[in-house]
Amino acid sequence: MGRIVGIDLGTTNSLVAFMDQEGPHVIPGPDGQTKVPSIVGLTDNGLIVGEPAKAHLIRDPSRTIYSVKRFMGKGLDDVKDELKYFSYQLHEKNGVIRIEIGDKTYSPPQVSAMILKELKRRAEEFLKEDVSKAVITVPAYFNDSQRQATKDAGLIAGLEVLRIINEPTAASLAYGLQKKTQGLIAIYDLGGGTFDISILKLKDGIFEVLATNGDTHLGGDDFDQRLVDVMVDGILKTQGLDIGKSPDLMQTVRLEAERVKVRLSDETHTKAVIELPDGKYEKTWTREDMEALTMDLVERTLAPCRSALKDAGLHANQIDEVVLVGGNTRMPLVWRKVEELFDKKPHSELNPDEVVALGAAVQADILGGHTTDLLLLDVTPLSLGIETMGGVMSALIRRNTTIPTSAKEMFTTYVDGQTSVDIHILQGERELVKDNRSLARFQLKLPPLPAGVPRVEVNFLIDANGILHVTARDIRTGEAQSVQVKPSHGLTDDEVEGMIRDSFQFATEDIKARQIIEARNEANAIIVATEKALVRATNLINDKETESIRRILQQLGEVKEGEDHRVIRAKIAEAEKTTHHLAEVLMDATLKEALESKKLSDIIK
Amino acid sequence: MGLFPVPESSEPEIMEPQYQATTKSRELPMARSMCWHCQSEVTGEYLCGQCVKVQPLSKDLDYFSCFQLPRLLNIDEQQLEQTFYELSRTFHPDFYSTKDESEKAISLGNSAFLNTGYRILKDPIQRAEYLIRLEAGAVKDIRSNPPADLFEEVLELQEDLETFRQLAPNGTSSELEALRTKLQDEREGLEKRQAEMEKSLQHKFREWDQLQGDPPDLSQTREKKNTLLRGMQEILSNRTYVRNMVDDLLETTG
């Protein structure tokens, strides 16, 4: 069995981790960065993902997708209040949001799959082996549709998703392993787009989740947006420029807002500078400014904390440890508010950006059969029920029930000869159907008999991923019935199949985009190294040679901005030839060795 | 819609009452005596002695037996938790990820059963309701009429609640606030009553547990047990009614 990786598929950043004998490790990219921005850009040469796509965001905002996690398992109606934050076009098909970029249309799982593929590739390069199995994390408060959408994303990316695991519980695994903690812990997880709180009991290697709560519409993005709104307003007032109509400037402001937020965690004031077509906009931000502006957002996280405590049957002061997870918990205001609520200093020894991915790697190791002393017992975050007479939801499985769990319901007919009943499955805590989340519908077949005689038992099972499975059995005959569940906000199996096929096709297109990025990176490395070498070798080569090297560097600098990787490659080869002598001379001089086959960029770092 | 659930059928299947209350068995009844995989004899273990495949739990298994607990209403919660953790380590799907589909399915089914059992036994009220169903085979009776001694009070309360709901959307007024205070007082009264009911339940729980020492076959014992079961059921359904009222009040008046 191949290695199973752990993936944190985040709203703003994603990470991949693995576990060996020493423990879990996050896998860095070639640049040493562990975070891959969850951004996908469509260029004329195909798709780009991560850091390169972040740069693309300003250049071509209408063809760059960010925060796609907010759309997973949702319909257009669910996000109508957030539409103004996005610079790309959305529409809906069969209850699922579709994202338009260029002349192509993608579902959120497809876009997430692009990010997953990038992580998969990164892991394969690092581990030097094929990676086809993964554990992927989701916010604890994700509903069934959102979990299913995440699983679909894995499939489309060519990953077998062995487990969907909740982010705060993953974090607890990484912590528990590290610190051998026992007792009651609260995990406060403020991510890019979602907030979760989980209360766990840790005892002898068992991680039992007692209660979880959250808000899937509250995250760091919302903090950024507050700053964006102020600056957009400021630009309008001082410069008379309404940037609401220019997506590229909006993205510039958004990135600057994020930077301000991050800086104000360490500093008490910082300056935002935004280059505008005619001049620039500057604003000095103090930490107090920002805290006043976002206080209500932090306070919004406290109600779910109280609900979770209540459901766990605990008082805040009974919690032994409070752990902060997610980059946004670096904000001092969050620390203060959390400390106030639990009357305890929270801690975050492990990097809050990485801890979820590390925990996912631990869970992957448990599933792989290597770690056998740890076990996670998680819960379903929302009550599951069915629609009954009068538009009321009748709950079958209560929230915070340990999973896997199942509930049975018997169905019969109320008209003679009736051959089917329609069943509507819901998730949520409200009494009325319309206030809860519609998960799926299906039609239960019944034998044509007098009213009340047929007895079909339907079993609703929530598996360890928090995903619902429905089976039915005719009690009179004992025969199992097949149930075709139609998700309200999910892709059908056929659609997922089609997207898996498409993803192979995209893959060939995307190779082009990747080749350009790699060629550009290499060109950049050569330029930097050669310039350093020229300084060191001032007296070792003559002016004519210096001149020709400078010329080739300049040409390389121009060529690398082009869109054809072969042209860049050709120029790189030419540059290497031109600098070959320089490399030799430098080597002779410094190492007194002949290293004829080495390239200059290998010698000078 | 056309949806017509049969109300009583959502309860788990329950075995006939069996008086093995004080025997503490380390063995769990399995679905069959032969291993589903290698057909060798399975002797009350969760895993087949021959091929080490996990075995499905018997459909007749009740939660007390599953957790190796006597049918008492005051139970050793430490032991319950410990057994839950032990059995979770045996059955949880995390440990069957690399196994074949049949084993995965059995692990899932056993785990779901275990989790439900733990949830019910952990809570004293649910534990009692479950035990009553098990012993008396009675259908869970959620009372839709208020308990006799509360009838008048509840009628008035319902009226006040209705008025409150109509007034609330129009913003605060002195009338609304007076009503809120009145309803909050009512709620406190009901909460007190709920606490009293729970106290008398505790008393009955102890009585029940003491009876378990008596010879089970005596008709006298049987009669005492039935009286107790009926008494407990009466209080339990009154308590459910009162608690729902309290929840309703909390939700409406805050």
Side-chain angles (χ1 to χ4, degrees), chain A residues 311-352:
Chain A
D311 284 355
L314 294 168
H315 292 291
N317 57 17
Q318 286 174 280
I319 299 294
D320 297 308
E321 285 185 43
V322 182
V323 176
L324 299 180
V325 177
N328 290 290
T329 58
R330 290 199 177 92
M331 283 185 271
L333 179 63
V334 171
W335 278 73
R336 286 207 307 276
K337 285 283 162 191
V338 172
E339 185 178 345
E340 245 172 64
L341 177 70
F342 290 97
D343 194 20
K344 196 160 281 107
K345 280 226 177 308
H347 56 93
S348 61
E349 285 88 346
L350 298 176
N351 181 337

Side-chain angles (χ1 to χ4, degrees), chain A residues 163 201 203-204 208 387, chain B residues 3 9 81 85 89 94:
Chain A
R163 177 61 46 84
K201 180 174 182 176
K203 195 175 172 187
D204 306 328
E208 187 190 359
E387 175 169 351
Chain B
L3 188 60
S9 55
E81 184 188 86
Y85 287 168
R89 284 187 185 279
D94 277 8

Side-chain angles (χ1 to χ4, degrees), chain A residues 530 533-534 537 541 545 549 579-587 600:
Chain A
T530 311
L534 282 175
I541 55 172
E545 190 176 349
I549 290 172
T579 57
H580 189 73
H581 175 252
L582 170 65
E584 270 182 358
V585 169
L586 211 55
M587 272 299 146
L600 182 58

Side-chain angles (χ1 to χ4, degrees), chain A residues 1 163 201 203-204 208 363 367 373 377 387-389 401 403-404 408-411 414 421-422 461, chain B residues 1-6 9-10 81 84-85 88-89 92 94-95 97-98 108 111-112 115-116 118-119:
Chain A
M1 182 161 169
R163 177 61 46 84
K201 180 174 182 176
K203 195 175 172 187
D204 306 328
E208 187 190 359
Q363 179 67 21
L367 296 180
D373 54 340
L377 299 171
E387 175 169 351
T388 53
M389 291 290 184
T401 297
I403 52 175
K408 290 190 185 99
E409 186 79 34
M410 192 77 76
F411 293 92
Y414 62 109
V421 287
D422 292 326
L461 177 108
Chain B
M1 252 172 313
L3 188 60
F4 195 42
V6 184
S9 55
S10 62
E81 184 188 86
F84 174 59
Y85 287 168
S88 292
R89 284 187 185 279
H92 198 278
D94 277 8
F95 301 127
S97 179
T98 59
L108 196 57
S111 240
N115 288 336
T116 308
Y118 182 56
R119 190 181 68 246

